[in-house]
Amino acid sequence: MASSTELHFLTIAEAARLVKSKRLSPVDLTRAALDRIGALDRRLKAFVTLLDGPAEKSAKAAARNIARGNYLGPLHGIPVAIKDLYDTKGVKTTSCSKVRANYVPTEDATVVRKLKEAGAIILGKVTTHEFAFGFDAPPTRNPWNVEHTPSGSSGGSACALAAGMCYGATGSDTGGSIRAPASVNGVAGLKPTYGRVSKAGVAVLSWSLDHTGPLARSVEDLALILNVIAGPDALDPTTKDVRVPNYVRMLTGDIRGLRIGVPQNYFFTDVQKPVARAVRRAIRTLEGLGGIVSAVRISHLEHMLPSFFSIVIPEAAVYHQKAFRKHPAKYGPDVRALLETGQVYLASTYITAQRNRFAFKAAFREAFKKVDVLVTPSMPVTAPKIGQETYRFGNREEPVFTSSARFCCPFNLAGLPAVSIPCGFSADGLPIGLQIVGKPFDEGTALRVAHAYEKNTEWHKMRPPL
Amino acid sequence: MSDRKAPSEADVARFGKCAGFKISARNQRQVATTLRDLRAGVMKMDALIAEDTVPAVIFDATWED
């Protein structure tokens, strides 16, 4: 692996500075991304729909506007990729399912509209697991080793970023679908607080667990995108009218005195050794930067997964009810089995899971009385091989689906903001992710800690050997 | 449904009938074990929480609810 400062690997912040000062044209930036896609995507398969013509047209328009002095801000002229779960006006939005093979929305999802209004260039649509219901994004490959998956469901977004095929991307996260692919592709991903970013125009997996958010190559880039997409939306009744700070200004680099909680239960059990080592080392780095590290216990976590699945499965089944009953054979076999389960799920199990959820939330509330952020591994593992079904931890075998979800989904149940950033590599060169979790609507502090770590390490600068 | 014994494939087919939906034959076993295993897991946690806990029917991420 090698460090790289080529045009296609610029961060948004770096590119924006050059674009603003007219030293780099959005046309050249877009061309660099499209050339990179042309060179690599036949192998990596991140893009479902490439909008090369419209992207070049938008880039020319952005260049003209900037030349006239109408600079819109840091996303102006920046090429981004959109997960194929997000509605894009006039552009096929398939959710990577035969069910929506020909669906062309007449409006943009709110997040897409906001990105366009900020001047971002839409390069195309990237893969998701079918309707985001899985930790993979076939046929996309992991750029660090194409024999491995990019995880999912926002696998196309993370792959495209890691490979330098875009500068920012959108994702969605119901049980880790932003953070898991960010972790295994060596990029940054943020699941904001539930209600912070609109989900309007994004296909539902689970109304009460879904979150939308950004992926990028740096924490500053996550903050730049969040500045644009955060805020209440009349089209999404789950959004909250909570003040949106300037997240970039919160990246002070200073975490002295900040209270960092490290859970002593759950998050360090059944973890691959290189992952545990990398995360422990990252915690020492944060302590070295002046963070006050303390051990915390969060009760009931060991019982959390069944409640998570007992919410997501029936909620997904209800969202898909009409289409599924009409065309069950159009769904892939794994999603079909889950939706069939959801069709006959007991209401009493679902409601019991929602009661449990209250108890989980209370447990986190208790923990956050003593700390400002929690730090955990994003995942217990590195990327699985294509076709791999389980991981082994001693004598215990665990399905890939569960391994991928178990450190991320507690924060979907609690609705807390959580960011994943690179913190190391396994011996075979696969990225490892560090998860930093904040209090509700305090994305700023989680990003501040992530940014301080990033500034003092080199992991985010590593590029896959493509 | 017992927390220990999975419903049979015939049970699952009947559940589907009650819901007005045909569970495909190849998935009946998987559906049955998933229903059993997840319910058992959920009930384990249920045994640990306060009786007066309310369900998070409409979820709100603020601490106050």
Side-chain angles (χ1 to χ4, degrees):
Chain A
M1 69 191 81
S3 292
S4 171
T5 52
E6 292 137 310
L7 200 56
H8 51 258
F9 277 133
L10 290 178
T11 65
I12 293 175
E14 290 165 345
R17 275 191 286 276
L18 295 170
V19 168
K20 188 182 180 187
S21 61
K22 301 185 183 105
R23 281 178 290 160
L24 175 63
S25 164
V27 175
D28 294 333
L29 201 58
T30 303
R31 194 65 261 163
L34 290 172
D35 286 349
R36 189 75 173 163
I37 294 166
L40 295 177
D41 203 44
R42 199 166 295 181
R43 187 150 52 114
L44 296 176
K45 300 179 173 69
F47 281 82
V48 182
T49 303
L50 187 61
L51 300 170
D52 44 356
E56 287 186 307
K57 202 173 156 193
S58 300
K60 282 177 190 162
R64 272 196 306 274
N65 282 328
I66 293 166
R68 286 182 197 135
N70 300 324
Y71 181 66
L72 296 173
L75 295 192
H76 200 172
I78 303 295
V80 299
I82 304 294
K83 185 175 181 178
D84 206 30
L85 218 57
Y86 284 64
D87 281 356
T88 39
K89 188 177 175 180
V91 175
K92 215 155 58 166
T93 298
T94 69
S95 296
C96 292
S97 175
K98 286 180 188 162
V99 178
R100 295 204 179 156
N102 300 309
Y103 170 54
V104 179
T106 54
E107 299 295 335
D108 282 325
T110 297
V111 165
V112 174
R113 177 180 57 75
K114 286 182 168 186
L115 289 170
K116 283 183 179 174
E117 284 170 1
I121 311 291
I122 310 299
L123 282 172
K125 308 295 290 288
V126 282
T127 55
T128 167
H129 195 97
E130 183 178 23
F131 286 111
F133 212 167
F135 284 96
D136 196 358
T140 308
R141 302 293 174 126
N142 189 311
W144 291 91
N145 183 334
V146 292
E147 287 176 16
H148 291 251
T149 85
S151 188
S153 61
S154 311
S157 306
C159 166
L161 280 160
M165 298 194 286
C166 65
Y167 297 85
T170 64
S172 65
D173 190 318
T174 303
S177 283
I178 288 175
R179 291 158 289 157
S183 176
V184 307
N185 289 280
V187 298
L190 170 71
K191 180 197 83 64
T193 310
Y194 188 84
R196 179 55 104 187
V197 177
S198 173
K199 299 185 290 287
V202 180
V204 171
L205 175 53
S206 160
W207 288 282
S208 74
L209 291 164
D210 289 349
H211 299 66
T212 48
L215 294 95
R217 279 192 289 270
S218 77
V219 175
E220 186 180 10
D221 288 0
L222 293 179
L224 284 167
I225 300 174
L226 189 61
N227 274 349
V228 167
I229 64 174
D233 178 14
L235 298 176
D236 178 357
T238 69
T239 53
K240 295 273 174 261
D241 192 2
V242 177
R243 193 184 75 84
V244 178
N246 184 326
Y247 293 105
V248 176
R249 283 203 197 125
M250 296 182 80
L251 308 179
T252 59
D254 183 6
I255 60 163
R256 282 174 298 173
L258 212 67
R259 298 170 304 165
I260 296 167
V262 180
Q264 294 306 288
N265 58 322
Y266 191 70
F267 287 101
F268 289 91
T269 303
D270 287 344
V271 177
Q272 288 176 343
K273 277 183 184 157
V275 174
R277 263 199 305 272
V279 171
R280 296 278 184 207
R281 189 177 54 219
I283 292 165
R284 286 196 297 276
T285 300
L286 293 173
E287 195 165 28
L289 294 171
I292 300 166
V293 174
S294 64
V296 293
R297 278 197 79 78
I298 299 156
S299 50
H300 304 315
L301 280 175
E302 292 74 6
H303 303 290
M304 187 261 327
L305 269 173
S307 293
F308 167 74
F309 287 117
S310 294
I311 294 169
V312 69
I313 291 172
E315 288 194 8
V318 174
Y319 175 73
H320 286 282
Q321 194 154 238
K322 284 181 194 152
F324 188 53
R325 285 173 182 231
K326 211 169 167 187
H327 308 291
K330 284 192 177 178
Y331 288 83
D334 57 339
V335 172
R336 184 173 177 177
L338 289 163
L339 293 179
E340 288 189 345
T341 307
Q343 288 292 321
V344 294
Y345 220 77
L346 288 179
S348 59
T349 309
Y350 173 76
I351 292 169
T352 306
Q354 291 284 24
R355 287 180 79 221
N356 292 348
R357 184 178 192 170
F358 244 72
F360 296 128
K361 205 164 85 167
F364 280 115
R365 184 168 50 220
E366 205 52 38
F368 271 109
K369 282 180 182 166
K370 297 173 198 141
V371 298
D372 300 304
V373 293
L374 292 171
V375 174
T376 77
S378 301
M379 293 172 75
V381 291
T382 54
K385 281 198 164 172
I386 307 269
Q388 181 179 331
E389 289 182 358
T390 58
Y391 287 99
R392 180 165 281 283
F393 301 98
N395 293 327
R396 194 171 83 84
E397 236 178 319
E398 183 179 43
V400 166
F401 200 96
T402 314
S403 298
S404 305
R406 72 177 142 98
F407 290 174
C408 288
C409 71
F411 307 109
N412 296 76
L413 282 167
L416 299 171
V419 58
S420 177
I421 52 169
C423 72
F425 287 85
S426 62
D428 49 355
L430 294 172
I432 294 167
L434 175 72
Q435 180 168 234
I436 300 163
V437 184
K439 294 176 185 175
F441 295 100
D442 191 17
E443 289 81 3
T445 302
L447 289 171
R448 185 174 133 208
V449 174
H451 176 251
Y453 176 79
E454 195 182 77
K455 264 185 65 174
N456 287 278
T457 54
E458 298 288 315
W459 305 115
H460 65 293
K461 292 181 184 165
M462 299 297 146
R463 303 299 175 220
L466 290 165
Chain B
M1 183 198 319
S2 157
D3 280 351
R4 276 174 299 192
K5 195 175 166 194
S8 68
E9 285 160 69
D11 290 335
V12 166
R14 273 194 291 275
F15 291 167
K17 212 170 178 183
C18 292
F21 182 79
K22 191 174 183 306
I23 307 288
S24 58
R26 67 177 169 183
N27 287 336
Q28 284 173 0
R29 178 91 323 257
Q30 186 186 332
V31 171
T33 52
T34 306
L35 289 176
R36 177 201 56 184
D37 293 349
L38 289 181
R39 182 167 176 82
V42 165
M43 296 315 291
K44 253 188 213 167
M45 170 76 187
D46 182 67
L48 301 173
I49 66 173
E51 286 286 327
D52 59 355
T53 305
V54 296
V57 177
I58 304 222
F59 185 64
D60 182 332
T62 55
W63 287 141
E64 287 74 34
D65 57 8

